[in-house]
Amino acid sequence: MRKRALFGIALRSILRNKMRTLLTMLGIVIGVAAVIVMVALGQGAQATIESQIKGLGTNMLMIMAGSTSQGGVSQGAATFNRLTIADYEKLAREGTLLAGVSPVIFSRGQIIGGGANWRASIMGVAPAYQQVRDWPVQSGSFFTDADTRSVRRVVVLGNTVANALFADSDPVGQQIQLRSVPFIVIGVLTPKGQTAGGMDQDDTVIIPYTTAQAHLAGQFRIGQIIASTFSPGEIPAAQEEIRGIMREAHKIARGDDDDFTIRNQDDIAAAASGTTRVMSMLLAAIASISLVVGGIGIMNIMLVSVTERTREIGIRMAIGARSNDVLAQFLVESIVISLAGGLIGIVLGYASGLLLARLTGWAVAMPPEAALIAVAFSAAVGVFFGFYPARKAAALDPIQALRYE
Amino acid sequence: MAQAHDKNAPPVIRLEDVTRVFSTGDNAVHALAGVDLVIHPGEMVAIMGASGSGKSTLMNILGCLDKPTAGHYALDGIAVSELDRNALADLRSRKIGFVFQGFNLLARTTALENVELPLLYDRSGQFHGKESPAPAALRRVGLGERMHHLPSQLSGGQQQRVAIARALVTNPSLILADEPTGNLDSHTSIEIMALFQELNDQGITILLVTHEQDIAEHARRIVEMRDGRIVRDVPVTQRRIAADELAAAERAA
Ligand SMILES: Nc1ncnc2c1ncn2[C@@H]1O[C@H](COP(=O)(O)OP(=O)(O)OP(=O)(O)O)[C@@H](O)[C@H]1O
Ligand SMILES: [Mg+2]
């Protein structure tokens, strides 16, 4: 039987019941659209996270206290459990592969300046921090080794803090108070945006770590030590070097586990995008359930259609149609319905993805291959759910079918 | 009028002791209880008999829609009993044209498209690359002007003509008509019989089932069935000529 004729028969019977066809398609339309939107959102989130992680700095390594391999079991050498300034100094002194090393001391506190009042994170770091994080100043300058050595009360403002305190004047040279201790603003950093976790990285002030320890009361702990290498290729070697130095600093015996963790940007990126990938796959999986439901809708209508057209099937068989001709006729019909639904779903999916991006400001990435996959998937749904009704039609006995009222 | 068929040619139909038993639950119905029948090319045969005598069952077997429980059936020399479902479909497509009591046209499909339907399933390739024979078939049944009408826009007689055109379009060896005039008034019935006679005069073998004696008398031969058996098989001596009847009716009016 000619393929064009088959297609014509399918189209005609589909167009005969326009409303019914439309409602049948709806399941597939919604399913495909939902999958596309979910994939677009997932990919958008992933792209955002990747760019944010690149924004962490260049060739960056991060050293944190605690071992990942110990899974929360308490460690033997409790005294060496934390990172210390001594660790940092040893790394800065002995690390031949490290372009820059800086401790990062985290705290939060009240900031008063420019007649305003603000709460933000306060970080104590070494001057190398700026280079490791690849974070230029917008005005003024970052502090120097001299500032660190002399324990000067100088501060570099993150963009958010600068805007909050000094909306329309240049903060450089102004005096502000961090936890009631006066500091001189020497620079303002360029905006860096949000972290992968949604935190505003610009809502911070940065001071020399020595000053943080000397002048700011309260608990100051070194959260991490960050370092950078001269080139990406040296990261594995640098990681080994750091490990050696840290094990020596922490006096870890041969055969014992590390009591610290070194992570590079790739690890961090993999961890972060791994989470979003799982999330977006989960969302897409949930969305594809609606595709399956749509497929069941098609099967249902095709079964009704086979019953309604029993006599037609009988006539076709009497005038010479083989079972396979009848099978093909109904199969093509369900494939056409689901493919058309799929195409409409793609348009709807892309449109609502763009609209969503517009309305919410979420990152939405529309991969063109998602459309291809959606088309293939809806065709597969048509075949899968159309097969049973088509088989039923093909298996009819011509005499019984002709008698059917 | 002389017999149009050639007795020496191989028969279109040869049935030998054909039975058809339907088993419904406990009891078996012997719809055909041993039928022998030979029909030669160019014959026009009417099958008569009471309701339930097995006429439709016989037609279904002759039309390769059903297979005998036992016995032998050869259509144009082909042994049908040995064939599978696909081969039966091919045989229907190549050799048989059906005309039904209820016309059985596809609704919401034009006359022309209805007539083209069998060509869709033609696997012999005899129409490949040629002009569609459907319009000619419609002209042959006198519906050249109604090709694009839907069945709902046609009278019963016209619908049956479309069905006959559909049966004709693939040049079958045999046209099988189960009560083709059953749904038509007497005048229209005679018009349809005139068409059948015309086609038979052109050499087409026709087998039709009817309950009415005067309709049957348009055939050349009448076969009567009772309880699944052929009880009478006689030539028609005073054959009615439908065209003459129509002309007479015209004059009377
Ligand atoms: N599918 C079937 N299952 C069971 N019995 C059947 C079946 N088809 C026909 N029969 C039986 O076979 C017998 C012959 O039926 P058939 O339809 O051939 O009669 P018929 O001569 O065509 O009658 P009518 O003039 O009423 O059309 C009947 O007794 C009928 O009940
Ligand atoms: Mg009958």
Side-chain angles (χ1 to χ4, degrees):
Chain A
M1 192 168 156
R2 282 155 300 186
K3 295 191 180 58
R4 252 197 34 223
L6 247 164
F7 208 72
I9 294 172
L11 269 189
R12 191 180 324 192
S13 97
I14 285 167
L15 292 177
R16 197 161 284 167
N17 278 307
K18 290 193 191 68
M19 192 62 193
R20 181 158 101 183
T21 306
L22 217 67
L23 290 174
T24 310
M25 268 183 202
L26 209 56
I28 298 290
V29 171
I30 291 170
V32 167
V35 169
I36 286 196
V37 169
M38 290 310 160
V39 168
L41 281 178
Q43 300 250 332
Q46 216 163 311
T48 312
I49 284 166
E50 268 160 28
S51 78
Q52 279 165 347
I53 283 163
K54 286 216 178 67
L56 280 176
T58 45
N59 311 330
M60 196 183 79
L61 288 165
M62 216 182 255
I63 303 140
M64 285 160 294
S67 164
T68 45
S69 62
Q70 283 174 320
V73 178
S74 79
Q75 294 151 261
T79 26
F80 292 122
N81 205 355
R82 288 181 189 163
L83 299 173
T84 63
I85 291 299
D87 294 337
Y88 152 66
E89 285 167 345
K90 191 171 166 70
L91 283 169
R93 216 168 37 241
E94 298 175 9
T96 55
L97 296 170
L98 305 181
V101 186
S102 169
V104 185
I105 296 171
F106 289 108
S107 180
R108 283 188 73 79
Q110 198 74 20
I111 301 163
I112 301 167
N117 202 319
W118 192 254
R119 261 188 87 81
S121 88
I122 303 169
M123 285 201 283
V125 303
Y129 180 86
Q130 190 195 14
Q131 174 251 316
V132 174
R133 292 289 319 268
D134 190 18
W135 200 349
V137 288
Q138 180 178 287
S139 65
S141 61
F142 210 79
F143 49 80
T144 61
D145 283 329
D147 294 322
T148 313
R149 268 197 305 278
S150 314
V151 200
R152 291 216 177 97
R153 281 170 299 168
V154 289
V155 61
V156 178
L157 303 185
N159 219 272
T160 305
V161 177
N163 287 333
L165 299 183
F166 303 95
D168 29 42
S169 59
D170 185 7
V172 176
Q174 304 279 337
Q175 201 188 69
I176 63 168
Q177 288 185 5
L178 304 184
R179 294 206 193 150
S180 313
V181 180
F183 279 74
I184 299 291
V185 179
I186 59 165
V188 177
L189 292 161
T190 53
K192 207 159 178 85
Q194 293 192 336
T195 63
M199 300 245 300
D200 181 5
Q201 300 183 80
D202 300 313
D203 195 12
T204 188
V205 299
I206 300 178
I207 57 175
Y209 70 94
T210 47
T211 316
Q213 288 180 308
H215 290 285
L216 299 185
Q219 270 218 331
F220 278 97
R221 217 198 275 167
I222 300 184
Q224 49 186 228
I225 297 171
I226 61 172
S228 65
T229 60
F230 295 98
S231 75
E234 287 173 310
I235 287 178
Q239 222 161 321
E240 271 318 296
E241 187 181 44
I242 291 171
R243 187 156 173 254
I245 296 169
M246 287 296 292
R247 284 180 72 90
E248 209 178 288
H250 286 195
K251 301 191 172 65
I252 296 169
R254 214 171 233 276
D256 283 358
D257 289 329
D258 295 347
D259 62 356
F260 55 90
T261 304
I262 308 165
R263 295 225 272 168
N264 62 39
Q265 252 187 80
D266 287 347
D267 298 336
I268 299 162
S273 67
T275 325
T276 46
R277 194 161 39 239
V278 168
M279 268 307 286
S280 63
M281 267 161 61
L282 204 74
L283 287 173
I286 291 168
S288 25
I289 290 174
S290 57
L291 252 178
V292 172
V293 173
I296 293 170
I298 288 185
M299 175 145 78
N300 184 27
I301 286 298
M302 290 309 294
L303 281 171
V304 171
S305 176
V306 168
T307 308
E308 275 180 357
R309 286 153 69 192
T310 299
R311 193 185 262 268
E312 174 190 329
I313 294 163
I315 295 170
R316 287 180 187 276
M317 285 177 163
I319 62 176
R322 286 186 178 188
S323 295
N324 275 345
D325 293 329
V326 174
L327 183 90
Q329 178 186 337
F330 283 90
L331 211 50
V332 166
E333 198 171 317
S334 73
I335 293 171
V336 167
I337 290 179
S338 60
L339 258 185
L343 291 177
I344 298 172
I346 288 170
V347 174
L348 189 74
Y350 276 65
S352 35
L354 290 177
L355 196 72
L356 206 65
R358 211 52 188 287
L359 294 179
T360 61
W362 294 346
V364 177
M366 302 280 194
E369 61 269 22
L372 275 177
I373 294 167
V375 168
F377 211 87
S378 48
V381 165
V383 173
F384 187 79
F385 290 100
F387 191 76
Y388 173 67
R391 257 234 64 95
K392 222 180 137 183
L396 283 175
D397 173 48
I399 300 170
Q400 310 268 301
L402 278 167
R403 280 223 194 103
Y404 187 83
E405 291 302 322
Chain B
M1 194 173 169
Q3 292 283 90
H5 71 267
D6 177 3
K7 284 259 183 191
N8 297 321
V12 184
I13 289 169
R14 179 187 290 281
L15 287 182
E16 283 165 11
D17 197 22
V18 162
T19 60
R20 179 67 172 100
V21 183
F22 294 106
S23 37
T24 45
D26 309 330
N27 52 337
V29 180
H30 291 258
L32 295 180
V35 172
D36 296 283
L37 183 67
V38 174
I39 293 174
H40 290 278
E43 278 201 88
M44 181 164 173
V45 180
I47 298 174
M48 300 194 68
S51 188
S53 58
K55 306 183 294 292
S56 295
T57 305
L58 178 63
M59 291 296 260
N60 288 337
I61 285 176
L62 294 178
C64 303
L65 288 168
D66 194 9
K67 288 212 274 190
T69 309
H72 184 76
Y73 170 34
L75 171 65
D76 257 358
I78 301 165
V80 173
S81 325
E82 276 112 67
L83 299 177
D84 65 11
R85 226 175 125 99
N86 281 344
L88 286 178
D90 290 357
L91 217 50
R92 291 196 295 270
S93 165
R94 266 192 298 141
K95 301 211 175 274
I96 293 163
F98 282 102
V99 177
F100 304 95
Q101 177 175 0
F103 320 138
N104 273 343
L105 300 176
L106 293 195
R108 286 182 280 186
T109 305
T110 64
L112 185 63
E113 287 166 332
N114 263 295
V115 175
E116 279 173 339
L117 216 53
L119 305 175
L120 213 60
Y121 303 109
D122 174 64
R123 281 168 290 266
S124 69
Q126 58 175 318
F127 306 105
H128 198 77
K130 297 208 190 88
E131 203 187 327
S132 166
L138 273 169
R139 278 192 290 272
R140 214 165 152 191
V141 300
L143 284 178
E145 311 294 306
R146 296 269 196 279
M147 293 199 193
H148 302 291
H149 284 55
L150 298 176
S152 57
Q153 298 164 334
L154 296 170
S155 72
Q158 287 168 333
Q159 288 184 56
Q160 196 59 301
R161 282 166 188 274
V162 174
I164 293 169
R166 185 180 64 192
L168 279 176
V169 75
T170 51
N171 294 322
S173 322
L174 180 65
I175 286 184
L176 296 175
D178 195 348
E179 301 191 43
T181 60
N183 284 10
L184 301 173
D185 63 53
S186 57
H187 182 78
T188 315
S189 297
I190 292 172
E191 285 180 349
I192 292 298
M193 291 319 292
L195 179 57
F196 276 131
Q197 285 185 330
E198 190 187 322
L199 295 172
N200 179 241
D201 288 343
Q202 291 163 8
I204 298 173
T205 313
I206 295 171
L207 208 67
L208 60 98
V209 170
T210 180
H211 282 286
E212 293 159 80
Q213 182 65 30
D214 52 343
I215 292 294
E217 282 168 7
H218 289 89
R220 298 173 192 274
R221 174 179 164 195
I222 294 179
V223 171
E224 196 178 323
M225 295 189 69
R226 189 182 304 148
D227 299 331
R229 283 195 176 80
I230 291 175
V231 292
R232 200 163 67 102
D233 186 347
V234 293
V236 179
T237 45
Q238 296 270 301
R239 191 183 184 206
R240 287 174 184 258
I241 304 301
D244 297 348
E245 293 170 81
L246 290 173
E250 189 92 346
R251 275 195 305 278

